[in-house]
PDB file of all heavy atoms in Angstrom:
ATOM      1  N   GLU A 102     -14.517  -3.469   0.634  1.00  0.00           N
ATOM      2  CA  GLU A 102     -14.845  -4.319   1.766  1.00  0.00           C
ATOM      3  C   GLU A 102     -15.503  -5.636   1.517  1.00  0.00           C
ATOM      4  O   GLU A 102     -15.218  -6.636   2.110  1.00  0.00           O
ATOM      5  CB  GLU A 102     -15.677  -3.484   2.778  1.00  0.00           C
ATOM      6  CG  GLU A 102     -14.880  -2.343   3.379  1.00  0.00           C
ATOM      7  CD  GLU A 102     -15.664  -1.474   4.317  1.00  0.00           C
ATOM      8  OE1 GLU A 102     -16.726  -1.892   4.792  1.00  0.00           O
ATOM      9  OE2 GLU A 102     -15.341  -0.297   4.406  1.00  0.00           O
ATOM     10  N   LYS A 103     -16.336  -5.658   0.510  1.00  0.00           N
ATOM     11  CA  LYS A 103     -17.055  -6.892   0.262  1.00  0.00           C
ATOM     12  C   LYS A 103     -16.188  -8.112  -0.134  1.00  0.00           C
ATOM     13  O   LYS A 103     -16.598  -9.221  -0.095  1.00  0.00           O
ATOM     14  CB  LYS A 103     -18.188  -6.663  -0.830  1.00  0.00           C
ATOM     15  CG  LYS A 103     -17.603  -6.439  -2.200  1.00  0.00           C
ATOM     16  CD  LYS A 103     -18.726  -6.271  -3.221  1.00  0.00           C
ATOM     17  CE  LYS A 103     -18.168  -6.017  -4.567  1.00  0.00           C
ATOM     18  NZ  LYS A 103     -19.221  -5.812  -5.571  1.00  0.00           N
ATOM     19  N   PHE A 104     -14.953  -7.816  -0.523  1.00  0.00           N
ATOM     20  CA  PHE A 104     -14.031  -8.886  -1.018  1.00  0.00           C
ATOM     21  C   PHE A 104     -13.224  -9.504   0.163  1.00  0.00           C
ATOM     22  O   PHE A 104     -12.606 -10.528   0.025  1.00  0.00           O
ATOM     23  CB  PHE A 104     -13.072  -8.419  -2.020  1.00  0.00           C
ATOM     24  CG  PHE A 104     -13.741  -8.237  -3.398  1.00  0.00           C
ATOM     25  CD1 PHE A 104     -14.179  -7.012  -3.802  1.00  0.00           C
ATOM     26  CD2 PHE A 104     -13.900  -9.312  -4.168  1.00  0.00           C
ATOM     27  CE1 PHE A 104     -14.757  -6.871  -5.046  1.00  0.00           C
ATOM     28  CE2 PHE A 104     -14.487  -9.226  -5.455  1.00  0.00           C
ATOM     29  CZ  PHE A 104     -14.926  -7.964  -5.915  1.00  0.00           C
ATOM     30  N   PHE A 105     -13.220  -8.859   1.329  1.00  0.00           N
ATOM     31  CA  PHE A 105     -12.352  -9.269   2.385  1.00  0.00           C
ATOM     32  C   PHE A 105     -13.073  -9.750   3.611  1.00  0.00           C
ATOM     33  O   PHE A 105     -13.881  -9.065   4.198  1.00  0.00           O
ATOM     34  CB  PHE A 105     -11.347  -8.220   2.706  1.00  0.00           C
ATOM     35  CG  PHE A 105     -10.320  -8.077   1.669  1.00  0.00           C
ATOM     36  CD1 PHE A 105     -10.463  -7.059   0.726  1.00  0.00           C
ATOM     37  CD2 PHE A 105      -9.246  -8.901   1.540  1.00  0.00           C
ATOM     38  CE1 PHE A 105      -9.525  -6.871  -0.290  1.00  0.00           C
ATOM     39  CE2 PHE A 105      -8.316  -8.759   0.518  1.00  0.00           C
ATOM     40  CZ  PHE A 105      -8.497  -7.801  -0.425  1.00  0.00           C
ATOM     41  N   LYS A 106     -12.744 -11.009   3.984  1.00  0.00           N
ATOM     42  CA  LYS A 106     -13.140 -11.581   5.253  1.00  0.00           C
ATOM     43  C   LYS A 106     -11.815 -11.806   5.990  1.00  0.00           C
ATOM     44  O   LYS A 106     -10.789 -12.024   5.425  1.00  0.00           O
ATOM     45  CB  LYS A 106     -13.882 -12.857   5.020  1.00  0.00           C
ATOM     46  CG  LYS A 106     -15.208 -12.674   4.243  1.00  0.00           C
ATOM     47  CD  LYS A 106     -15.940 -13.982   4.094  1.00  0.00           C
ATOM     48  CE  LYS A 106     -17.192 -13.768   3.350  1.00  0.00           C
ATOM     49  NZ  LYS A 106     -17.157 -13.587   1.967  1.00  0.00           N
ATOM     50  N   ILE A 107     -11.865 -11.788   7.344  1.00  0.00           N
ATOM     51  CA  ILE A 107     -10.716 -11.946   8.173  1.00  0.00           C
ATOM     52  C   ILE A 107      -9.834 -13.205   7.787  1.00  0.00           C
ATOM     53  O   ILE A 107      -8.653 -13.092   7.600  1.00  0.00           O
ATOM     54  CB  ILE A 107     -11.048 -11.983   9.644  1.00  0.00           C
ATOM     55  CG1 ILE A 107     -11.718 -10.667  10.068  1.00  0.00           C
ATOM     56  CG2 ILE A 107      -9.798 -12.325  10.547  1.00  0.00           C
ATOM     57  CD1 ILE A 107     -10.795  -9.424   9.898  1.00  0.00           C
ATOM     58  N   ASN A 108     -10.490 -14.350   7.648  1.00  0.00           N
ATOM     59  CA  ASN A 108      -9.756 -15.560   7.337  1.00  0.00           C
ATOM     60  C   ASN A 108      -9.084 -15.444   5.939  1.00  0.00           C
ATOM     61  O   ASN A 108      -7.915 -15.969   5.744  1.00  0.00           O
ATOM     62  CB  ASN A 108     -10.604 -16.777   7.477  1.00  0.00           C
ATOM     63  CG  ASN A 108     -11.755 -16.787   6.454  1.00  0.00           C
ATOM     64  OD1 ASN A 108     -12.174 -15.708   6.037  1.00  0.00           O
ATOM     65  ND2 ASN A 108     -12.298 -17.949   6.198  1.00  0.00           N
ATOM     66  N   GLU A 109      -9.688 -14.804   4.975  1.00  0.00           N
ATOM     67  CA  GLU A 109      -9.035 -14.674   3.690  1.00  0.00           C
ATOM     68  C   GLU A 109      -7.908 -13.666   3.707  1.00  0.00           C
ATOM     69  O   GLU A 109      -6.850 -13.872   3.032  1.00  0.00           O
ATOM     70  CB  GLU A 109     -10.080 -14.194   2.659  1.00  0.00           C
ATOM     71  CG  GLU A 109     -11.161 -15.224   2.348  1.00  0.00           C
ATOM     72  CD  GLU A 109     -12.379 -14.666   1.571  1.00  0.00           C
ATOM     73  OE1 GLU A 109     -12.418 -13.412   1.368  1.00  0.00           O
ATOM     74  OE2 GLU A 109     -13.210 -15.460   1.095  1.00  0.00           O
ATOM     75  N   MET A 110      -8.033 -12.633   4.466  1.00  0.00           N
ATOM     76  CA  MET A 110      -6.986 -11.599   4.604  1.00  0.00           C
ATOM     77  C   MET A 110      -5.676 -12.217   5.177  1.00  0.00           C
ATOM     78  O   MET A 110      -4.617 -11.908   4.753  1.00  0.00           O
ATOM     79  CB  MET A 110      -7.451 -10.450   5.373  1.00  0.00           C
ATOM     80  CG  MET A 110      -6.611  -9.224   5.181  1.00  0.00           C
ATOM     81  SD  MET A 110      -6.429  -8.745   3.437  1.00  0.00           S
ATOM     82  CE  MET A 110      -4.886  -7.970   3.428  1.00  0.00           C
ATOM     83  N   LYS A 111      -5.908 -13.171   6.119  1.00  0.00           N
ATOM     84  CA  LYS A 111      -4.762 -13.862   6.719  1.00  0.00           C
ATOM     85  C   LYS A 111      -4.005 -14.602   5.695  1.00  0.00           C
ATOM     86  O   LYS A 111      -2.781 -14.544   5.568  1.00  0.00           O
ATOM     87  CB  LYS A 111      -5.185 -14.806   7.863  1.00  0.00           C
ATOM     88  CG  LYS A 111      -4.032 -15.420   8.540  1.00  0.00           C
ATOM     89  CD  LYS A 111      -4.584 -16.379   9.676  1.00  0.00           C
ATOM     90  CE  LYS A 111      -3.380 -17.001  10.281  1.00  0.00           C
ATOM     91  NZ  LYS A 111      -3.457 -18.421  10.427  1.00  0.00           N
ATOM     92  N   ASN A 112      -4.728 -15.308   4.782  1.00  0.00           N
ATOM     93  CA  ASN A 112      -4.031 -15.980   3.707  1.00  0.00           C
ATOM     94  C   ASN A 112      -3.300 -15.086   2.746  1.00  0.00           C
ATOM     95  O   ASN A 112      -2.166 -15.356   2.296  1.00  0.00           O
ATOM     96  CB  ASN A 112      -5.004 -16.844   2.928  1.00  0.00           C
ATOM     97  CG  ASN A 112      -5.592 -18.007   3.753  1.00  0.00           C
ATOM     98  OD1 ASN A 112      -4.953 -18.488   4.688  1.00  0.00           O
ATOM     99  ND2 ASN A 112      -6.793 -18.426   3.389  1.00  0.00           N
ATOM    100  N   VAL A 113      -3.943 -13.967   2.468  1.00  0.00           N
ATOM    101  CA  VAL A 113      -3.348 -12.934   1.533  1.00  0.00           C
ATOM    102  C   VAL A 113      -2.098 -12.388   2.193  1.00  0.00           C
ATOM    103  O   VAL A 113      -0.995 -12.286   1.560  1.00  0.00           O
ATOM    104  CB  VAL A 113      -4.325 -11.808   1.164  1.00  0.00           C
ATOM    105  CG1 VAL A 113      -3.619 -10.704   0.455  1.00  0.00           C
ATOM    106  CG2 VAL A 113      -5.478 -12.381   0.336  1.00  0.00           C
ATOM    107  N   TRP A 114      -2.174 -12.082   3.443  1.00  0.00           N
ATOM    108  CA  TRP A 114      -1.032 -11.499   4.175  1.00  0.00           C
ATOM    109  C   TRP A 114       0.126 -12.468   4.234  1.00  0.00           C
ATOM    110  O   TRP A 114       1.288 -12.063   4.024  1.00  0.00           O
ATOM    111  CB  TRP A 114      -1.433 -11.111   5.596  1.00  0.00           C
ATOM    112  CG  TRP A 114      -0.340 -10.426   6.308  1.00  0.00           C
ATOM    113  CD1 TRP A 114       0.352 -10.860   7.358  1.00  0.00           C
ATOM    114  CD2 TRP A 114       0.229  -9.139   6.044  1.00  0.00           C
ATOM    115  NE1 TRP A 114       1.319  -9.963   7.785  1.00  0.00           N
ATOM    116  CE2 TRP A 114       1.238  -8.897   6.999  1.00  0.00           C
ATOM    117  CE3 TRP A 114      -0.029  -8.126   5.105  1.00  0.00           C
ATOM    118  CZ2 TRP A 114       1.980  -7.702   6.990  1.00  0.00           C
ATOM    119  CZ3 TRP A 114       0.683  -6.987   5.099  1.00  0.00           C
ATOM    120  CH2 TRP A 114       1.629  -6.763   6.032  1.00  0.00           C
ATOM    121  N   GLU A 115      -0.145 -13.714   4.503  1.00  0.00           N
ATOM    122  CA  GLU A 115       0.996 -14.753   4.546  1.00  0.00           C
ATOM    123  C   GLU A 115       1.706 -14.826   3.188  1.00  0.00           C
ATOM    124  O   GLU A 115       2.818 -14.910   3.075  1.00  0.00           O
ATOM    125  CB  GLU A 115       0.421 -16.099   4.980  1.00  0.00           C
ATOM    126  CG  GLU A 115       0.113 -16.121   6.382  1.00  0.00           C
ATOM    127  CD  GLU A 115      -0.660 -17.413   6.881  1.00  0.00           C
ATOM    128  OE1 GLU A 115      -0.921 -18.258   6.043  1.00  0.00           O
ATOM    129  OE2 GLU A 115      -0.881 -17.486   8.107  1.00  0.00           O
ATOM    130  N   PHE A 116       0.906 -14.791   2.109  1.00  0.00           N
ATOM    131  CA  PHE A 116       1.395 -14.849   0.773  1.00  0.00           C
ATOM    132  C   PHE A 116       2.224 -13.597   0.450  1.00  0.00           C
ATOM    133  O   PHE A 116       3.300 -13.617  -0.133  1.00  0.00           O
ATOM    134  CB  PHE A 116       0.309 -15.060  -0.277  1.00  0.00           C
ATOM    135  CG  PHE A 116       0.787 -15.159  -1.726  1.00  0.00           C
ATOM    136  CD1 PHE A 116       1.416 -16.267  -2.104  1.00  0.00           C
ATOM    137  CD2 PHE A 116       0.603 -14.063  -2.536  1.00  0.00           C
ATOM    138  CE1 PHE A 116       1.895 -16.318  -3.425  1.00  0.00           C
ATOM    139  CE2 PHE A 116       1.073 -14.128  -3.842  1.00  0.00           C
ATOM    140  CZ  PHE A 116       1.682 -15.256  -4.302  1.00  0.00           C
ATOM    141  N   LEU A 117       1.705 -12.483   0.904  1.00  0.00           N
ATOM    142  CA  LEU A 117       2.312 -11.153   0.675  1.00  0.00           C
ATOM    143  C   LEU A 117       3.690 -11.106   1.315  1.00  0.00           C
ATOM    144  O   LEU A 117       4.648 -10.560   0.770  1.00  0.00           O
ATOM    145  CB  LEU A 117       1.444 -10.103   1.257  1.00  0.00           C
ATOM    146  CG  LEU A 117       0.981  -9.031   0.299  1.00  0.00           C
ATOM    147  CD1 LEU A 117      -0.275  -8.351   0.827  1.00  0.00           C
ATOM    148  CD2 LEU A 117       2.058  -8.056  -0.046  1.00  0.00           C
ATOM    149  N   LEU A 118       3.816 -11.629   2.462  1.00  0.00           N
ATOM    150  CA  LEU A 118       5.065 -11.562   3.198  1.00  0.00           C
ATOM    151  C   LEU A 118       6.174 -12.230   2.433  1.00  0.00           C
ATOM    152  O   LEU A 118       7.366 -11.831   2.523  1.00  0.00           O
ATOM    153  CB  LEU A 118       4.965 -12.199   4.614  1.00  0.00           C
ATOM    154  CG  LEU A 118       4.155 -11.383   5.631  1.00  0.00           C
ATOM    155  CD1 LEU A 118       3.999 -12.177   6.920  1.00  0.00           C
ATOM    156  CD2 LEU A 118       4.805 -10.097   5.884  1.00  0.00           C
ATOM    157  N   ILE A 119       5.865 -13.244   1.611  1.00  0.00           N
ATOM    158  CA  ILE A 119       6.821 -13.809   0.803  1.00  0.00           C
ATOM    159  C   ILE A 119       7.252 -12.989  -0.381  1.00  0.00           C
ATOM    160  O   ILE A 119       8.447 -12.990  -0.782  1.00  0.00           O
ATOM    161  CB  ILE A 119       6.288 -15.204   0.265  1.00  0.00           C
ATOM    162  CG1 ILE A 119       6.002 -16.157   1.441  1.00  0.00           C
ATOM    163  CG2 ILE A 119       7.179 -15.859  -0.796  1.00  0.00           C
ATOM    164  CD1 ILE A 119       5.152 -17.399   1.113  1.00  0.00           C
ATOM    165  N   LYS A 120       6.336 -12.216  -0.916  1.00  0.00           N
ATOM    166  CA  LYS A 120       6.604 -11.388  -2.143  1.00  0.00           C
ATOM    167  C   LYS A 120       7.184 -10.005  -1.825  1.00  0.00           C
ATOM    168  O   LYS A 120       7.768  -9.418  -2.662  1.00  0.00           O
ATOM    169  CB  LYS A 120       5.256 -11.190  -2.870  1.00  0.00           C
ATOM    170  CG  LYS A 120       4.734 -12.511  -3.493  1.00  0.00           C
ATOM    171  CD  LYS A 120       3.645 -12.223  -4.463  1.00  0.00           C
ATOM    172  CE  LYS A 120       4.273 -11.827  -5.769  1.00  0.00           C
ATOM    173  NZ  LYS A 120       3.425 -11.998  -6.966  1.00  0.00           N
ATOM    174  N   LEU A 121       6.996  -9.522  -0.552  1.00  0.00           N
ATOM    175  CA  LEU A 121       7.492  -8.190  -0.256  1.00  0.00           C
ATOM    176  C   LEU A 121       9.035  -8.141  -0.191  1.00  0.00           C
ATOM    177  O   LEU A 121       9.646  -9.204   0.083  1.00  0.00           O
ATOM    178  CB  LEU A 121       6.923  -7.734   1.143  1.00  0.00           C
ATOM    179  CG  LEU A 121       5.474  -7.323   1.149  1.00  0.00           C
ATOM    180  CD1 LEU A 121       4.959  -7.219   2.543  1.00  0.00           C
ATOM    181  CD2 LEU A 121       5.221  -6.073   0.328  1.00  0.00           C
ATOM    182  N   PRO A 122       9.626  -6.919  -0.504  1.00  0.00           N
ATOM    183  CA  PRO A 122      11.043  -6.942  -0.385  1.00  0.00           C
ATOM    184  C   PRO A 122      11.545  -7.246   1.078  1.00  0.00           C
ATOM    185  O   PRO A 122      10.738  -7.107   2.016  1.00  0.00           O
ATOM    186  CB  PRO A 122      11.349  -5.420  -0.690  1.00  0.00           C
ATOM    187  CG  PRO A 122      10.116  -4.804  -1.005  1.00  0.00           C
ATOM    188  CD  PRO A 122       9.026  -5.724  -0.810  1.00  0.00           C
TER     189      PRO A 122
END
Side-chain angles (χ1 to χ4, degrees):
E102 293 174 24
K103 69 180 179 180
F104 284 98
F105 288 98
K106 296 179 178 76
I107 296 300
N108 60 338
E109 292 170 351
M110 196 55 207
K111 183 179 179 228
N112 293 335
V113 170
W114 184 250
E115 288 172 357
F116 181 74
L117 238 159
L118 287 175
I119 296 166
K120 292 190 83 156
L121 287 169

